[in-house]
């Protein structure tokens, strides 16, 4: 067990260090997210009586699009540099590699979210930093990373590569997006966690279900 | 030879079943009495729309199970089952959406609403289009089968969650699948409704059997060609 966690940590730490030195993913994700906020601002500003009606959608769509951008890169550099083969040759459990990759993707998206939440508050003049909202965002992002990491590994081995990723990912991810947007709009108008327990349960169920399926299937995705 | 004889019998049987279903649904079935007269003919779409929906889900379920079996046993047979069934599923999903849309115009006075079932079916269609896009962009057969199997499992499992999540919005779609209340149908309609469902299921089995047979033929041709060239 200890060894397993060491592998997870090693993969996670490697990704963090690579990202810290290149800042490739984070920069593109963050800039993209800001662009999305700006575009949404122009798309909706003129005809909405209350900003809180659009902010949940803006937040989740910006996160989803920025996240898919980062996920797309998760395995591309590994593949192109040949380091994926190295990872797979290591005598370790493949699911530990999955978990490490998943956690690094999860962390990257969380960091981007930490970056855009204050911006959203400023641009749209709506306080989005609410504990219950952060919780639902956290849980939704976990499901996003859980499924996204597997699909990213799928997409990198196809001819279409990152073009295919959103097409594969978004239809599967839809329940999380719907639940997240609904719960977020509730929390913005002052609802409590208990008011949206069904949405939270749905996201938690999604997270658990797809983490388990990902654990079971990741082996087949990276098998050569 | 024996196999193709079996196929001929199956083909004939489902042709007869579908013809009988057509007769029953269009001529034999009584008019619905609990709706305004103008939309009574449109109500008959239930005998095609619901069976199509049922068959598409059945087809994707077969794909789901075949995908698991492929990953488990690594046998070409299950990949052929998975992709053949998914193809049929896409056709019936499209039939479901289109027939529903035609019915919705007289009944709800709109071609389209963001009702849970409509939306879920559209997502399902997109899921399995993505499934074939994934297949299409991988050349190596064994990898294609492996990846498609993984995606087939994820896709199928997400459908009930999608449906649940959209359902928690208001729905105007009639809730039909309630066997305790005779599926919400009147006298003389229930039996026909069940028969059309069975006929469509038989049609599904027939299409799947033909499709699988065709795929095996294609595999044989590919193998022969390789031997001739190599």
């Amino acid at each position: 067990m200890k060894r397993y966690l060491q592998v997870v940590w090693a993969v996670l730490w490697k990704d963090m260090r690579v990202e810290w030195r290149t800042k490739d993913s984070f920069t593109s994700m963050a800039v993209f997210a800001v662009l999305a906020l700006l575009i949404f601002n122009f798309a909706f500003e003129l005809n909405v009586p209350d900003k809180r009606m659009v902010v949940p959608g803006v937040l989740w769509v910006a996160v989803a699009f920025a996240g898919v951008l980062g996920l797309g890169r998760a395995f591309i550099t590994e593949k192109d540099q040949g380091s994926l083969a190295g990872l797979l040759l290591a005598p370790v459990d493949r699911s530990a590699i999955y978990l490490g990759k998943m956690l690094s993707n999860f962390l990257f998206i969380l960091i981007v979210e930490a970056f855009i939440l204050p911006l959203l508050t400023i641009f749209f003049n709506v306080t989005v930093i609410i504990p219950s909202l952060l919780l639902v965002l956290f849980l939704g992002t976990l499901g996003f990373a859980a499924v996204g990491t597997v699909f990213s590994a799928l997409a990198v081995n196809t001819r279409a590569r990152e073009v295919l990723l959103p097409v594969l990912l978004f239809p599967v991810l839809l329940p999380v997006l719907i639940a997240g947007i609904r719960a977020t709009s509730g929390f913005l108008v002052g609802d409590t966690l208990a008011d949206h327990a069904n949405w939270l349960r749905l996201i938690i169920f999604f997270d658990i279900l797809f983490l388990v399926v990902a654990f079971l299937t990741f082996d087949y995705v990276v098998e050569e | 030879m024996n196999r193709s004889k079996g196929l001929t019998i199956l083909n004939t049987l489902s042709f007869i079943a579908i013809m009988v279903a057509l007769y029953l649904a269009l001529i034999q079935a009584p008019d619905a009495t609990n709706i305004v007269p103008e939309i009574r003919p449109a109500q008959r779409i239930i005998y095609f729309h619901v069976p199509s929906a049922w068959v598409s889900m059945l087809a994707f379920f077969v794909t789901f199970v075949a995908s698991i079996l492929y990953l488990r046993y690594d046998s070409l047979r299950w990949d052929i089952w998975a992709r053949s069934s998914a193809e049929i599923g896409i056709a019936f999903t499209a039939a479901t959406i289109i027939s529903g849309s035609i019915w919705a115009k007289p009944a709800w006075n709109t071609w389209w609403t963001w009702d849970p079932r409509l939306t879920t079916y559209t997502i399902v269609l997109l899921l399995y289009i993505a499934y074939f896009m994934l297949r299409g962009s991988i050349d190596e057969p064994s990898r294609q089968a492996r990846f498609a199997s993984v995606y087939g499992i994820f896709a199928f499992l997400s459908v009930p969650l999608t449906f649940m999540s959209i359902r928690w919005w208001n729905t105007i779609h009639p809730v039909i699948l309630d066997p305790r209340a005779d599926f919400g149908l009147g006298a003389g309609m229930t039996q026909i409704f069940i028969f059309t469902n069975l006929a469509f299921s038989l049609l599904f089995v027939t299409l799947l059997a033909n499709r699988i047979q065709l795929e095996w033929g294609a595999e044989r041709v590919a193998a022969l060609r390789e031997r001739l060239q190599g």
Side-chain angles (χ1 to χ4, degrees):
Chain A
M1 191 63 203
K2 185 157 175 270
R3 161 122 178 91
Y4 189 89
L5 291 177
Q6 273 174 348
V7 176
V8 174
W9 176 249
V11 174
L12 174 61
W13 184 239
K14 168 196 74 76
D15 276 2
M16 300 306 288
R17 274 205 308 210
V18 169
E19 185 54 33
W20 180 252
R21 286 179 191 164
T22 62
K23 297 178 187 68
D24 276 352
S25 292
F26 179 76
T27 319
S28 46
M29 281 162 86
V31 172
F32 184 86
V34 175
L35 282 171
L37 295 189
L38 288 175
I39 291 168
F40 276 121
N41 182 55
F42 287 114
F44 291 123
E45 194 188 35
L46 296 173
N47 44 21
V48 177
D50 185 346
K51 290 265 175 54
R52 283 180 298 195
M53 291 168 74
V54 294
V55 162
V58 171
L59 172 63
W60 282 87
V61 172
V63 166
F65 285 4
V68 87
L69 210 63
L71 282 170
R73 293 198 52 86
F75 284 95
I76 282 185
T77 33
E78 297 265 19
K79 182 95 181 161
D80 290 350
Q81 308 285 334
S83 57
L84 189 60
L87 264 183
L88 298 178
L89 282 173
V92 296
D93 200 327
R94 296 258 166 91
S95 67
I97 297 176
Y98 164 74
L99 205 58
K101 277 299 209 187
M102 193 279 288
L103 286 175
S104 74
N105 285 327
F106 181 46
L107 217 58
F108 289 159
I109 305 175
L110 284 183
I111 293 169
V112 171
E113 284 167 2
F115 174 73
I116 60 172
L117 281 174
L119 284 180
L120 201 63
T121 308
I122 294 165
F123 284 166
F124 289 82
N125 196 22
V126 173
T127 309
V128 289
I129 302 171
I130 306 165
S132 50
L133 194 155
L134 296 182
L135 176 69
V136 73
L137 200 56
F138 181 87
L139 290 171
T141 309
L142 181 61
F144 191 7
V147 180
T149 304
V150 179
F151 287 5
S152 170
L154 285 179
V156 75
N157 283 305
T158 65
R159 249 181 290 117
R161 288 197 140 188
E162 64 263 51
V163 182
L164 198 58
L165 183 60
V167 179
L168 296 175
L169 185 56
F170 286 143
V172 173
L173 204 65
L174 199 76
V176 167
L177 290 178
I178 291 173
I181 289 169
R182 280 276 131 164
T184 304
S185 17
F187 296 145
L188 280 183
V189 294
D191 292 357
T192 61
L193 268 180
D195 293 333
H196 297 282
N198 57 341
W199 294 121
L200 283 170
R201 270 201 296 271
L202 185 90
I203 298 181
I204 291 169
F205 182 75
F206 182 100
D207 290 356
I208 295 171
L209 173 71
F210 284 113
L211 272 174
V212 171
V213 178
F215 258 87
L216 294 174
T217 54
F218 190 70
D219 232 2
Y220 300 103
V221 175
V222 290
E223 188 181 292
E224 282 301 322
Chain B
M1 275 303 108
N2 203 7
R3 191 175 249 181
S4 74
K5 202 172 188 179
L7 266 188
T8 314
I9 295 172
L10 208 52
N11 290 345
T12 319
L13 276 180
S14 55
F15 176 77
I16 295 169
I18 291 294
M19 284 299 137
V20 173
L22 271 176
Y23 172 78
L24 291 176
L26 296 178
I27 298 164
Q28 182 73 30
D31 267 337
T33 47
N34 56 346
I35 47 178
V36 289
E38 295 87 72
I39 67 167
R40 280 180 193 168
Q43 181 270 341
R44 287 171 193 273
I45 209 156
I46 189 178
Y47 303 114
F48 307 100
H49 176 68
V50 178
S52 302
W54 148 248
V55 165
S56 64
M57 278 300 134
L58 180 66
F60 294 136
F61 180 69
V62 170
T63 299
F64 171 65
V65 174
S67 298
I68 294 174
L69 290 173
Y70 178 81
L71 291 183
R72 180 83 184 70
Y73 297 110
D74 195 17
S75 135
L76 177 65
R77 167 197 301 272
W78 297 121
D79 182 47
I80 288 180
W81 274 69
R83 65 183 186 231
S84 303
S85 194
E87 239 173 49
I88 300 169
I90 284 190
F92 277 97
T93 307
T96 306
I97 295 172
I98 294 167
S99 61
S101 185
I102 292 170
W103 175 80
K105 186 62 186 168
W108 297 336
N109 199 27
T110 172
W111 295 108
W112 188 260
T113 81
W114 291 102
D115 168 85
R117 265 161 264 223
L118 272 70
T119 315
T120 306
Y121 264 82
T122 314
I123 300 300
V124 167
L125 191 61
L126 290 172
L127 274 173
Y128 286 91
I129 289 173
Y131 174 86
F132 280 103
M133 284 175 69
L134 176 66
R135 297 200 79 110
S137 71
I138 306 168
D139 296 322
E140 195 207 318
S142 76
R143 171 175 286 170
Q144 190 193 101
R146 233 174 329 114
F147 281 21
S149 297
V150 171
Y151 192 69
I153 293 169
F154 273 91
F156 187 79
L157 290 176
S158 79
V159 173
L161 292 174
T162 304
F163 180 69
M164 286 290 287
S165 63
I166 310 176
R167 190 185 191 155
W168 287 332
W169 277 330
N170 280 338
T171 175
I172 60 169
H173 193 292
V175 176
I176 288 161
L177 286 174
D178 186 4
R180 284 160 304 175
D182 262 358
F183 299 100
L185 293 170
M189 296 161 89
T190 314
Q191 294 86 340
I192 295 174
F193 178 69
I194 291 170
F195 180 82
T196 52
N197 272 288
L198 291 176
F200 268 65
S201 306
L202 182 64
L203 178 65
F204 166 67
V205 173
T206 307
L207 288 171
L208 185 62
N210 279 290
R211 196 73 190 76
I212 289 169
Q213 178 86 332
L214 192 67
E215 286 292 325
W216 279 116
E219 293 289 340
R220 268 223 315 273
V221 169
L224 279 175
R225 182 180 295 148
E226 203 153 290
R227 233 172 57 203
L228 283 174
Q229 283 170 345

